[in-house]
Amino acid sequence: MFVLVNLKAYPSDPVEIATVARDVADESGVRIAVSPQAADIGRVAETGVETWAQHVSPVEHGSHTGSTLAEAVADAGAVGTLLNHSERRLRLADIDGALDAADRAGLETIVCANNPDQIGAAAALGPDGVAVEPPALIGGDVSVSQADPGIVENAVAAAAAVDDSVDVLCGAGISAGEDLAAAGDLGASGVLLASGVAKADDPRAALTDLVEPLA
């Protein structure tokens, strides 16, 4: 199982959380990555934790003011990137372009989507993984794997029907070990979470509890 912690733009200390994530990953043997703001990628990567960007733009080098260049985040230390998060939606053509950009820079990719139908469409574009995140559950206290397990099962089936090499993660409301265990039971290869760690009073305790079923 892969645990990807998205720090969004929360007022958290990215280096502190990255250090905790690195240590919990080393202690548990679970693959854990952190996705900070673009400006913090270098500092987070220096901790030794697996580091992901939150977004890259569908552009090459050139006149693209305000864009996030895939090569720039890779040079800063990122090894992967999220795309099409519910808070950073892209048109289908731009998802495809961003995937090309990520591939050019050697970045692993996870494309987010709202439902199983969108998961199937995203998987057809050839990312390394997809993540199903019903918007209504994002940032809440109830995980998608508990609230509506059928969405996760159907997302796994939708991706497999298109390309069974594409990993499926689930997100929205993930915060505890039972959520991670339930996601795995439903066929997911990992989880995408944010506030459960980024806003936790004790990020180490939150991550340790999350991966406990896998340790």
Side-chain angles (χ1 to χ4, degrees), residues 2 25 65 73 92 108 112 116 120 152 157 202 211 213:
F2 177 34
T65 301
V73 301
L92 195 64
E108 193 173 344
C112 301
V152 180
D202 186 341
V211 303

Side-chain angles (χ1 to χ4, degrees), residues 56-143:
V56 297
S57 303
V59 299
E60 301 180 2
H61 287 280
S63 304
H64 304 294
T65 301
S67 296
T68 302
L69 191 66
E71 286 85 352
V73 301
D75 288 346
V79 299
T81 185
L82 293 171
L83 293 171
N84 198 48
H85 190 276
S86 64
E87 296 156 0
R88 188 65 170 85
R89 283 284 179 233
L90 298 171
R91 297 176 302 171
L92 195 64
D94 287 337
I95 297 173
D96 200 22
L99 285 167
D100 287 344
D103 184 62
R104 205 175 56 234
L107 297 170
E108 193 173 344
T109 50
I110 292 175
V111 176
C112 301
N114 291 346
N115 56 56
D117 287 342
Q118 291 183 12
I119 286 290
L125 297 176
D128 296 292
V130 290
V132 61
E133 289 194 301
L137 297 176
I138 292 177
D141 296 324
V142 181
S143 73

